[in-house]
Amino acid sequence: MESLKILHVPPNDLFPLPISTSFPVSTFLIPRNRKFPASTGIVTETLSFLCSSKLLPGTRTVRERRGLLFRARSTSASSPPFTDELVVEKWKDNPVSGDSIRHKFLTFYASRGHKVLPSASLVPDDPTVLLTIAGMLQFKPIFLGKVPREVPCATTAQRCIRTNDVENVGRTTRHQTFFEMLGNFSFGDYFKKEAIQWAWELSTVEFGLPANRLWISVYKDDDEAFAIWSDEVGVPVNRIKKLGEEDNFWTSGVTGPCGPCSEIYYDFHPERGYEDADLGDDTRFIEFYNLVFMQYNKKDDGSLEPLKQKNIDTGLGLERLARILQKVPNNYETDLIYPIIEKASELAHVSYAAADDQTKMNLKIIGDHMRAIVYLISDGVVPSNIGRGYVVRRLIRRVVRTGRLLGIKGDSLGNLEGAFLPSIAEKVVELSTHIDSDVKNRAPQIFEELKREELRFVQTLERGEKLLEEKLADTLSSAEKTGTAPCLSGEDVFLLYDTFGYPVEITKEVAEERGVIIDFNGFHIEMERQRRQSQAAHNTVKLAMGNGADIAENVTDTEFVGYDSLYAKAIVESLVVNGDPAVMASEGSDVEVLLNKTPFYAESGGQIGDHGFLYIAEGKNQPKAVVEILDVQKSLGNIFVHKGTVREGFLEVGKEVEAAVDVKLRQRAKVHHTATHLLQAALKKVIGPETSQAGSLVAFDRLRFDFNFHRQLLDSELVEIEGLINGWIGDATLLQTKVMPLVDAKKAGAIAMFGEKYGEEVRVVEVPGVSMELCGGTHVSNTSEIRGFRIISEQGIASGIRRIEAVAGEAFIEYVTARDSYIKQLCSTLKVKPEEVTTRVENLLEELWEAKSENSALCAKAAVYKASIIASNALLVGNSKQFRVLVECLDDVDADSLKNAAEYLIETLPEPAAVVVGSCPGENKVSLVAAFSPGIVDEGIHAGKFIGQIAKLCGGGGGGRPNFAQAGGKKPENLADALEKARSELLAVLSQKGN
């Protein structure tokens, strides 16, 4: 840069720095004897202080590096902090905004025949991924050849979420959870040459990036791309790097479309030269544009064959390019995120410019996470403990805790019981106009969801924070004494998690900040121990017996044959009788039986265990023993425990038994389990694909399905869901069940329960065209076996979690039959036809309401009449000033009528007057009312406080206004004493005030 002018700054002037926006550079001199605050002891700090002066409107500090950017260097041989002169260069203000970058990108490709398509939702249609992680995701079916293209080429600005590197957010210059991927896509239209040339033209001409700062990477064997870059575009070969398959070859899976890719990098430090330049060096390079050339099909044997239709899939990181063009040191300080950081700084009462690295990192975390949170909730993802809901809940919790670390209390506006997330979310919504216009329309719901989730989590934090601090202090103290590395035990982490609901990831973050590691192995051991204890308690199976023997010591996993047969011959391997191991069980004994193989399904995946019998035959079809099995559970992995009672004969270890499952009950379970799959599919169609399973119960008499959703379902939605399911039942579709590798199952689109652990081989149950799930349960072979489906109830069971209970198959028939019987009885009682029941009931309710109203009016009149009779019982108290006191019991008058009586009395009695009346309106019920006139209230006697104390004698409480209050109790036998106390206290205090 050239220096424009040199100015000497007089020692006594307060930083009058001339700024000329018409020139790119201005310089000035700072005298050696200039006095600065102690905190500005180095050149960059001094400069920051100068640039922060109020005499420089429109500028920001060096640390912020936004808008006008300043750099300092010494022109003297001496060292900082003070030199003879400092040369300060001012870069020309860069007007490039994130919104203008997005617009310019889309316009550029639209002018080249691309259809501009909207961003897809963050909740993808693709069941193999949890969230939208790339711009190409919405076009994946086209790339895979599953659906035909609608346009030859397209361009998008896609909202994306990635949380695999969430711990790096704020620590590095580029990691984000939410980002925008600008992309141009060709579906068999153009290929490498056009993609490369346009990408270069866009970068160097449209965005004005210096060509000598751009580096290129290509796949090591892609000579075609290398030649285009070097020969046609003109990039010097020493700035084109050939990289391997891991870096520059894209695949869609084990098999399928794939191809090499080429990336464009920006060089922040070209002065370092070309020797040994490493494109993976984040301190020098940033990759901002990736071009994928889908030109091959990868076959089962790993070989590549050319595709008939070659595709282009590209992605340009908006935040990364904004960082380059806006000349800021990281993605967070671009105008896409920085206004959110500024809002968080304001709430925390800190200056980002003057903040230390830790504070800056915390502010960056808030700036990044709040974008992800707002857009996820806008797309229908509500906080929960599963799936996408857990992603947004975890991000919210990180922001809440980070805000508290920054000192944000309550809503930061004085309300310590309030929430601060909505305030920051307002800034995200403000910035959303050109990203997703629907966010503003959904803002009220977003703010309410954030407020509810934050306040709930603050309670968890406050309970756990105190205990965690104590545990960390103990850990650090112990480590100091022993000279070992501080490590928080797995037991302590589990205690915080299990007892206080304190998230493990937050325990980890807090511990790391204090220099303490966590014993995760110990934590997982505690989790497994709890799981086993819980299951053992539920199963009432003692694995470690009183005599020290371990019943499962020599027992192998049970072979399950129940998918193909409901009958099997098996060997009794172990017995438990009344909680203790045994070799024989006699008639009448409650037993737990372990077999080497079984047709009985053990409870898992929400489906309850089978019922049935174990037989031992003697002679020709003569039973020697009969054991009724009423439950089957899994223990220690895959050991099936058959629980039941010996009905006849006796059972011995080592004997062969005939195991037979109750066929009718198994059919009921199969029907309900398949119906849950249909229910999940219907829910996704009716209320949105973002909903997912949060739990289930498959029983013989009903099914229960829990799912994440933020509101009650409408009646019309429930009707639509039932209609879809019954339609699929009527289609009589054959189910398909396969066992395949987990990778292949997910690739095929099978739904997996979030958080569930699966082996390498999984069982996939598919209703073709309707649903495909990973499931180990038992199912019908044809949907027609379900016969019918009916929803019994829909309700909320937790924040963001709803529950549907339903019946199907035989249970559906029983339910409909029972309801039909009830209707017939009702019609007979009301003497109307079924279609007239509703009208008749409405008429009866109206008549009942009118009768109740009349009765209430009569009771009120009766109470007022009783009050008029007892009004003469009022006592006069005081000499110089007289007060009237009336305390009476009105027998069984109801609460409303008692209130009317008290109002009548206080209006009737001359001023000043105090009235207390009580009654026993029902069994174990007491009603009390206190009514004080203004003259009584002026004496400092408060009706609410007075009657509350009296009600305690009757086992209750209450309160109200100074002049009128109601109370209740549950000890009618104490009412007389309570009224006597009220009378004596009023007489005593008013006598004193009247004398």
Side-chain angles (χ1 to χ4, degrees), residues 80-368:
F82 297 106
T83 61
D84 286 334
E85 60 184 41
L86 294 175
V87 178
V88 181
E89 300 173 337
K90 188 195 78 164
W91 290 11
K92 188 176 181 180
D93 191 13
N94 194 331
V96 179
S97 68
D99 288 339
S100 70
I101 295 171
R102 185 191 306 106
H103 176 74
K104 186 173 288 188
F105 180 94
L106 296 175
T107 302
F108 177 86
Y109 281 104
S111 68
R112 286 154 181 78
H114 291 65
K115 174 72 172 179
V116 179
L117 296 177
S119 170
S121 168
L122 288 173
V123 179
D125 291 330
D126 189 337
T128 65
V129 291
L130 197 64
L131 296 164
T132 298
I133 58 173
M136 59 79 62
L137 201 61
Q138 65 172 304
F139 305 117
K140 185 177 173 182
I142 301 175
F143 289 144
L144 294 176
K146 293 184 176 180
V147 298
R149 71 179 191 181
E150 294 183 2
V151 293
C153 49
T155 182
T156 64
Q158 175 63 52
R159 307 187 305 277
C160 299
I161 292 279
R162 292 181 189 172
T163 58
N164 52 316
D165 289 322
V166 68
E167 277 76 21
N168 287 323
V169 171
R171 299 178 186 273
T172 69
T173 61
R174 59 181 178 83
H175 280 97
Q176 299 164 242
T177 56
F178 176 89
F179 58 95
E180 286 187 81
M181 190 63 75
L182 308 179
N184 54 287
F185 308 92
S186 169
F187 313 117
D189 186 44
Y190 62 86
F191 201 50
K192 284 184 187 178
K193 182 177 180 179
E194 294 87 347
I196 290 173
Q197 290 178 336
W198 286 339
W200 183 260
E201 180 184 352
L202 178 72
S203 301
T204 59
V205 178
E206 294 297 319
F207 291 123
L209 296 176
N212 61 357
R213 284 191 176 228
L214 301 184
W215 289 61
I216 308 299
S217 72
V218 297
Y219 180 53
K220 62 182 182 178
D221 296 331
D222 192 357
D223 296 332
E224 180 185 1
F226 189 97
I228 295 172
W229 281 116
S230 61
D231 299 341
E232 300 192 35
V233 175
V235 179
V237 294
N238 56 3
R239 290 212 312 273
I240 305 176
K241 292 282 189 178
K242 289 188 174 183
L243 300 178
E245 186 171 334
E246 182 178 346
D247 295 302
N248 279 72
F249 197 92
W250 179 87
T251 60
S252 61
V254 179
T255 61
C258 59
C261 60
S262 181
E263 297 162 327
I264 307 178
Y265 291 77
Y266 183 81
D267 185 358
F268 290 108
H269 296 286
E271 70 276 6
R272 296 182 186 177
Y274 302 112
E275 290 294 327
D276 300 321
D278 178 9
L279 295 181
D281 181 0
D282 285 349
T283 66
R284 176 174 178 179
F285 297 103
I286 185 170
E287 174 220 331
F288 67 90
Y289 208 164
N290 184 16
L291 317 175
V292 176
F293 312 125
M294 258 185 269
Q295 62 187 97
Y296 300 114
N297 177 50
K298 192 172 186 179
K299 301 170 68 175
D300 291 334
D301 60 3
S303 62
L304 302 176
E305 63 178 3
L307 287 173
K308 295 180 180 179
Q309 176 178 298
K310 296 179 179 180
N311 304 311
I312 289 293
D313 161 27
T314 79
L316 184 151
L318 174 59
E319 292 80 5
R320 296 188 179 194
L321 185 57
R323 170 194 172 185
I324 297 169
L325 294 176
Q326 294 175 13
K327 298 182 174 67
V328 293
N330 54 66
N331 294 3
Y332 310 103
E333 294 184 37
T334 65
D335 69 340
L336 295 163
I337 304 175
Y338 191 76
I340 308 168
I341 292 177
E342 284 187 310
K343 182 63 178 180
S345 300
E346 175 189 326
L347 297 180
H349 305 292
V350 299
S351 166
Y352 182 83
D356 57 32
D357 290 342
Q358 180 65 44
T359 300
K360 282 188 174 182
M361 185 186 76
N362 288 335
L363 289 168
K364 291 172 185 175
I365 289 172
I366 293 176
D368 167 79

Side-chain angles (χ1 to χ4, degrees), residues 870-874 884-886 904-915 933:
I870 64 173
S872 59
N873 296 341
R884 283 177 171 75
V885 176
L886 179 63
Y904 168 81
L905 288 168
I906 204 65
E907 291 172 359
T908 303
L909 292 173
E911 165 80 11
V915 173
S933 70

Side-chain angles (χ1 to χ4, degrees), residues 845-872:
L845 288 174
E846 186 175 351
E847 292 172 7
L848 179 61
W849 182 84
E850 291 175 353
K852 281 186 174 181
S853 297
E854 291 176 4
N855 183 60
S856 296
L858 289 173
C859 289
K861 288 181 180 179
V864 169
Y865 176 72
K866 289 182 179 180
S868 66
I869 295 174
I870 64 173
S872 59

Side-chain angles (χ1 to χ4, degrees), residues 928 930 942-953 956-960 965-968:
L928 290 162
H942 191 287
K945 295 178 181 178
F946 182 83
I947 202 65
Q949 292 298 319
I950 299 301
K952 289 181 179 179
L953 296 176
Q966 292 178 275

